[in-house]
Amino acid sequence: MIFDYDTLQVIWWILVGVLLIGFALTSGMDMAVSTLLFKVGQNSKERGALINTIAPHWDGNQVWLITAGGAVFAAWPEVYAASFSGLYWGMLLVLFAIWLRPLAFDYRNHYTDETWLKRWDIALTVGSLVPILLFGVVFGNLLQGFPFWADENVRWHYDGVFLTALIPLLDPFSILCGLVSVTMLLTQGCLWIQLRTVDEIGSRAKKLSLVFALVTVVLYCIAGLWAYTFDGWQLVQAAPADSFHAIKDKVVERVPHGLFANYGDVWILWLVPIIAIFSFLKAGIAGVKGNALKGIIYSSVGIAFVIITAAAALFPFVMPSSLDPASSLTIWDATSSHFTLQVMLYAVIIFVPIALGYTIWAYKRMWGKVGVEEEQSH
């Protein structure tokens, strides 16, 4: 199975998106549950029951994040280099937050002291909330463009304080995107809790699922209307085939309402945000009616289509520049060689089904409902 270079570049754009969607879906059944510990669990025993719904799977879920990071490094080395230069402190904050999670899982039950348990529950909540918030913030920055440029040697530079501070990432629009990320995953988390718990824990999650679903729809619509006011990027002329510095030799222009240019050219793309909104409304309704499994299916579709909405708005750009449009990275000039993409595709075809099959087997093998009594007996 040999593909031409252009086809491989599109395939890898899709594959990286699939890996990010996989991480988002599993985060809704993992990090979102941890974030809801104090909202749904009223005491340490109930919080322990909530933790038991994700304890067998949380570390396996992180494989999607690691795989996505590795795929970006191998498939889009320039994106990896440019993003790590500008997002350094944000990525460190995510790393430190995720670092809290295995500590909390491991040390929480070493003692039964209430203060000890509460502190580790707080650590687990913070370690779960920060990543899902910041991943949404990053998408918000992508839609606005990062303040970077490439010099004549294609070395990456950022404007002023951006490289040395986290604050420039946290502009109002990016924070809004971060809140969309949080609420859509909390919708998934509430449905997961409802599906996997008994007693009053599931009842509280049942009431919250509709609330988070409705908030997600409202924030998502506000973010879409706000994004319409932004300028976007248009690839006017690709770099010549024999270009030594393809990144700098292309012609890119900023255009008004450019993030919606693809939606104007391909009208069927408008089904993407419509399906996202419809799915979250159905997920919230299914949760209130007590059909948690159906709700998770709907919320999973909604999460996937929210991410696809942003991807469709940016295509073919992967990491646009707000300072120097010509330095923006696209799927055509930021990818690895033809040979590298082809070999990696073989690896994906072999190993991703194995990982997916193992994940499904693990969830099936360790399935069941938990409650306070089960938490105490273990």
Side-chain angles (χ1 to χ4, degrees), residues 7 17 26 29 40 53 80-81 99 104-105 110 121 125 143 171 174 198 202 227 248 288 313 322 326 338 347 371 375:
T7 302
T26 54
M29 299 180 291
V40 177
T53 67
Y80 185 87
W99 172 73
F105 278 114
H110 282 198
D121 289 343
T125 300
L143 292 171
D171 62 275
S174 297
V198 294
K248 292 293 290 182
V288 169
S322 59
H338 187 186
E375 197 275 337

Side-chain angles (χ1 to χ4, degrees), residues 36-42 46 50 190 193 201-202 204-205 208:
L36 290 164
L37 285 182
F38 287 90
K39 186 66 177 178
V40 177
Q42 293 187 342
E46 290 187 346
L50 289 172
C190 286
I193 292 170
I201 305 174
R204 295 188 206 108
L208 288 171

Side-chain angles (χ1 to χ4, degrees), residues 23 46 48 59 61 95 111 117 130 133 177 213 216 219 225 235 243 254 268 270 312 320 364-365 372:
F23 171 67
E46 290 187 346
D59 48 353
N61 292 343
L95 179 63
Y111 297 99
L117 294 172
V130 169
L133 174 65
C177 292
T216 299
L219 295 180
L225 294 173
L235 183 61
S243 172
R254 294 293 297 269
I268 197 172
W270 284 105
K364 182 179 179 180
R365 187 68 176 174
V372 174

Side-chain angles (χ1 to χ4, degrees), residues 115-251:
T115 302
W116 173 270
L117 294 172
K118 184 176 182 180
R119 287 175 178 173
W120 283 116
D121 289 343
I122 292 173
L124 188 56
T125 300
V126 173
S128 303
L129 174 61
V130 169
I132 61 178
L133 174 65
L134 286 185
F135 284 130
V137 167
V138 168
F139 268 93
N141 278 271
L142 279 175
L143 292 171
Q144 298 175 90
F146 288 100
F148 72 93
W149 73 95
D151 61 22
E152 62 277 4
N153 295 314
V154 194
R155 292 175 299 189
W156 303 104
H157 305 272
Y158 278 79
D159 185 35
V161 74
F162 196 90
L163 186 61
T164 58
L166 177 65
I167 300 301
L169 291 174
L170 302 177
D171 62 275
F173 177 76
S174 297
I175 292 174
L176 174 61
C177 292
L179 293 177
V180 172
S181 173
V182 171
T183 56
M184 73 178 186
L185 294 185
L186 291 185
T187 302
Q188 181 100 326
C190 286
L191 293 165
W192 177 257
I193 292 170
Q194 185 181 343
L195 183 66
R196 293 295 309 278
T197 60
V198 294
D199 307 325
E200 291 298 318
I201 305 174
S203 299
R204 295 188 206 108
K206 178 179 178 180
K207 297 174 183 177
L208 288 171
S209 59
L210 179 61
V211 174
F212 284 124
L214 293 176
V215 173
T216 299
V217 170
V218 172
L219 295 180
Y220 176 65
C221 291
I222 294 173
L225 294 173
W226 195 345
Y228 182 75
T229 65
F230 298 156
D231 290 344
W233 297 264
Q234 182 177 6
L235 183 61
V236 178
Q237 181 179 338
D242 58 350
S243 172
F244 182 70
H245 291 314
I247 292 173
K248 292 293 290 182
D249 293 340
K250 62 181 179 291
V251 179

